[in-house]
Amino acid sequence: MTETITAARESEVVAAAETRLYIDGQWRDARNGRTLEVHDPSTGKVLATVADASVEDGWDALYAAQRAQQDFAAMPPRQRADILMRAFELMHQRKDDLALLMTLEMGKPLAESYGEVNYAAEFFRHFAEEATRIGGNYQTAPAGNARFVVAKQPVGPSILITPWNFPLAMGTRKIGPALAAGCTSVLKPAELTPLSMLALARILEEAGVPAGVVNIVVTSTAGDVMEPLIRSGIARKLSFTGSTAVGKKLLEQASDKVLRTSMELGGNAAFVVFEDADIDQAVEGAIAAKMRNSGEACTAANRIFAHESVIDEFSTKLAERMAQMPVGRGVDEGVKVGPMVDAKQRDKVAELVDDAVKSGARVVLGGEPAAGEGFFYRPTVLSQVPEQARMWQEEIFGPVAPVSSFSTEDEVIAKVNDTPYGLVNYVYTNDLTRGLRVAERVESGMVGLNQGVVSNPAAPFGGIKESGLGREGGDTGIDEFLETKYIGIQM
Ligand code: NAP
């Protein structure tokens, strides 16, 4: 349920927002008093001023996590699960404020922010349930002369780094399993959207997370603050969600002390419509896969391939649907497409579209930024995008749908796999055998078969190739924060 948002309600939520660092159970300013500004991308205006952590604050947070680790690991799993369940419930109680704050700092339509609060909270419920099911094994050695006890233990203090596009869910997807496994953490949210994570930290505090167990460090100098922490080896785990370029850099840093790593990186999803697909269903799926989060999602359909016999019908219907999506401030009723997160992101989208058009693509809809304040780009459909266009290889991260045709299954599978990324692909067909055959052959960690959204806390989310390492959510998500220990017993 969404509410009608007045300017007074916006001011009230922003005024109540937490803007300090959360370190060792204390809310505090940066040691050197530095601050950074958070902007509303739908107006470009300053929304709030937030404490901007220095390297010293980063160390304070990591040492706090280190000190808290032993006691927290010893906390009974049921108690950890209860904390997570309380946090889940508090997120639902505060959903109006959380959703509005998210829309104000990130831009997504309010209905989508409600969706994200729900999705984000679900990771706490899921991992509350997992916390009490951490298993082990007892086995007889093949020679019969020994027994093996296999136990799972928390990996230890963890560094968690999250992006701006899902400011809450990318955090709970890491904090949930870390808490369930018994790991303390230092979380660094994106500089563009720290308010949601700080609001979450208040909830965690209220839910009973002990001091030092979760620490939130907001900073405008991510590299300077995080690199020494990662290289120190005090944290035993690095879990990162963000771009492939930054992920590769962090993998190198993590190699210094051989940290366990989870990497949720960029994507370049293909969306394939076969000639036997239900075209209306495929159009709805494409809208979900392309336009969720105004196209600013790692799972966004970046390359749409429709069979040559249905491409005209599919493209016309897709353009009609996208033309009906109102663009505007995410707080306004009926808005379906919000602004890009900042001017840089909007300009990158414009650059990729201009490059495609110069190379010969035809603009079916949109094709330019929207006039006025804020960082808006119009919903855009492009056809006949040539192979050399940069957008086939680079994440667009905006409301732009390039559509191209294919004639055979082998041809389209080769096109789908012609990318260094491998996060998710979407396949639309009414032939289940073909659907499964194609799903098995495409190179990605996830496939949406007649489904435009794959994210689900109970399913293993993650990519292969340069889209990352490890999985978040599902029944294996907690393993990312657990070590396996084997104890051999002579008989
Ligand atoms: P980004 O530039 O890589 O930033 C991600 C996070 O890393 C931010 O918190 C950022 O901090 C931080 N960071 C940047 N440089 C760093 C450094 N040298 N050391 C430590 N931390 C550093 O990515 P983004 O633009 O925020 O997010 C978009 C990207 O995330 C896209 O590529 C998208 O596909 C990917 N993504 C992937 C998934 C997935 O599950 N696979 C989910 C969502 C997004 P600052 O922002 O404060 O600089």
Side-chain angles (χ1 to χ4, degrees):
M1 282 294 290
T2 57
E3 49 179 329
T4 302
I5 305 299
T6 60
R9 170 84 176 112
E10 284 181 34
S11 305
E12 175 196 270
V13 165
V14 172
E18 184 53 70
T19 57
R20 293 167 296 174
L21 311 174
Y22 184 60
I23 297 174
D24 206 8
Q26 303 292 318
W27 291 98
R28 50 168 255 207
D29 292 326
R31 280 225 222 167
N32 61 9
R34 206 166 65 160
T35 57
L36 60 85
E37 287 175 343
V38 179
H39 296 86
D40 176 344
S42 68
T43 61
K45 295 192 178 121
V46 175
L47 199 61
T49 301
V50 175
D52 181 2
S54 63
V55 181
E56 288 70 35
D57 299 303
W59 282 116
D60 289 345
L62 186 58
Y63 288 137
Q66 185 185 32
R67 283 193 301 274
Q69 178 59 51
Q70 202 178 348
D71 284 353
F72 187 59
M75 181 186 274
R78 173 65 67 203
Q79 221 173 312
R80 299 202 300 266
D82 287 346
I83 290 174
L84 281 163
M85 274 312 289
R86 274 199 298 277
F88 164 80
E89 282 154 12
L90 284 168
M91 285 182 76
H92 278 279
Q93 282 168 27
R94 313 262 164 88
K95 66 179 188 298
D96 292 338
D97 289 359
L98 289 172
L100 180 52
L101 199 58
M102 192 189 306
T103 288
L104 289 173
E105 71 170 345
M106 189 273 165
K108 68 180 77 185
L110 196 54
E112 290 199 38
S113 291
Y114 273 96
E116 183 176 338
V117 173
N118 196 35
Y119 173 55
E122 212 49 55
F123 283 104
F124 284 169
R125 179 155 68 171
H126 177 78
F127 285 107
E129 289 159 352
E130 294 293 297
T132 57
R133 314 260 187 276
I134 297 170
N137 197 17
Y138 180 85
Q139 191 187 335
T140 303
N145 59 346
R147 300 291 179 270
F148 307 152
V149 173
V150 178
K152 300 277 185 183
Q153 295 185 320
V155 63
S158 302
I159 293 176
L160 317 175
I161 302 179
T162 56
W164 48 263
N165 62 342
F166 292 98
L168 267 184
M170 297 302 94
T172 59
R173 207 162 77 169
K174 297 185 190 306
I175 296 170
L179 290 177
C183 295
T184 63
S185 59
V186 175
L187 185 143
K188 194 208 82 60
E191 175 190 356
L192 292 172
T193 58
L195 300 176
S196 299
M197 189 47 60
L198 292 171
L200 184 76
R202 270 195 187 166
I203 285 175
L204 290 170
E205 182 184 30
E206 222 173 300
V209 171
V213 168
V214 176
N215 304 276
I216 311 288
V217 171
V218 179
T219 178
S220 63
T221 49
D224 294 349
V225 173
M226 301 312 288
E227 182 170 355
L229 308 191
I230 295 168
R231 288 197 191 274
S232 74
I234 292 173
R236 292 309 312 154
K237 164 91 195 175
L238 169 64
S239 177
F240 171 75
T241 300
S243 61
T244 295
V246 173
K248 285 180 183 178
K249 209 188 286 185
L250 299 185
L251 276 171
E252 185 271 316
Q253 294 173 13
S255 72
D256 251 14
K257 293 284 161 60
V258 195
L259 305 194
R260 283 275 298 275
T261 56
S262 302
M263 293 277 145
E264 297 287 348
L265 308 178
N268 186 10
F271 189 99
V272 181
V273 185
F274 281 101
E275 63 276 23
D276 56 9
D278 177 324
I279 298 299
D280 291 330
Q281 199 195 348
V283 168
E284 284 317 305
I287 291 289
K290 176 77 258 180
M291 299 302 282
R292 178 168 175 242
N293 227 33
S294 309
E296 294 175 313
C298 52
T299 50
N302 211 56
R303 302 171 294 151
I304 301 179
F305 300 112
H307 188 264
E308 59 195 6
S309 62
V310 296
I311 188 166
D312 288 342
E313 181 190 354
F314 175 80
S315 317
T316 307
K317 286 185 167 168
L318 181 66
E320 278 167 14
R321 272 289 277 111
M322 280 175 63
Q324 290 160 8
M325 299 182 84
V327 179
R329 291 196 74 212
V331 292
D332 292 341
E333 243 174 284
V335 162
K336 296 278 189 228
V337 185
M340 303 293 88
V341 76
D342 62 7
K344 194 166 133 219
Q345 191 59 36
R346 182 207 44 206
D347 295 347
K348 159 105 192 294
V349 174
E351 200 183 297
L352 288 176
V353 172
D354 293 349
D355 166 76
V357 172
K358 269 195 209 116
S359 322
R362 192 170 71 81
V363 178
V364 181
L365 178 75
E368 57 187 4
E373 62 175 8
F375 311 122
F376 293 94
Y377 198 89
R378 291 186 194 288
T380 294
V381 178
L382 301 177
S383 71
Q384 296 153 26
V385 181
E387 272 179 23
Q388 71 271 23
R390 281 171 50 197
M391 65 172 59
W392 287 134
Q393 293 300 330
E394 292 178 37
E395 272 186 302
I396 303 170
F397 243 57
V400 176
V403 187
S404 168
S405 68
F406 68 92
S407 49
T408 68
E409 195 176 299
D410 282 345
E411 177 200 342
V412 78
I413 288 171
K415 284 182 173 175
V416 169
N417 291 340
D418 181 23
T419 168
Y421 295 104
L423 187 61
V424 59
N425 289 299
Y426 305 91
V427 179
Y428 273 72
T429 172
N430 273 338
D431 177 346
L432 183 60
T433 309
R434 164 185 263 171
L436 287 175
R437 187 170 62 231
V438 174
E440 285 181 9
R441 287 182 66 195
V442 295
E443 296 166 354
S444 53
M446 302 176 287
V447 177
L449 185 49
N450 295 324
Q451 185 174 315
V453 175
V454 291
S455 309
N456 190 313
F461 188 104
I464 61 171
K465 294 161 79 176
E466 294 185 28
S467 287
L469 299 168
R471 295 292 178 270
E472 292 191 321
D475 55 7
T476 53
I478 195 167
D479 293 338
E480 302 282 326
F481 289 89
L482 292 169
E483 288 289 10
T484 299
K485 181 179 277 176
Y486 137 66
I487 303 163
I489 307 160
Q490 193 65 48
M491 298 299 281

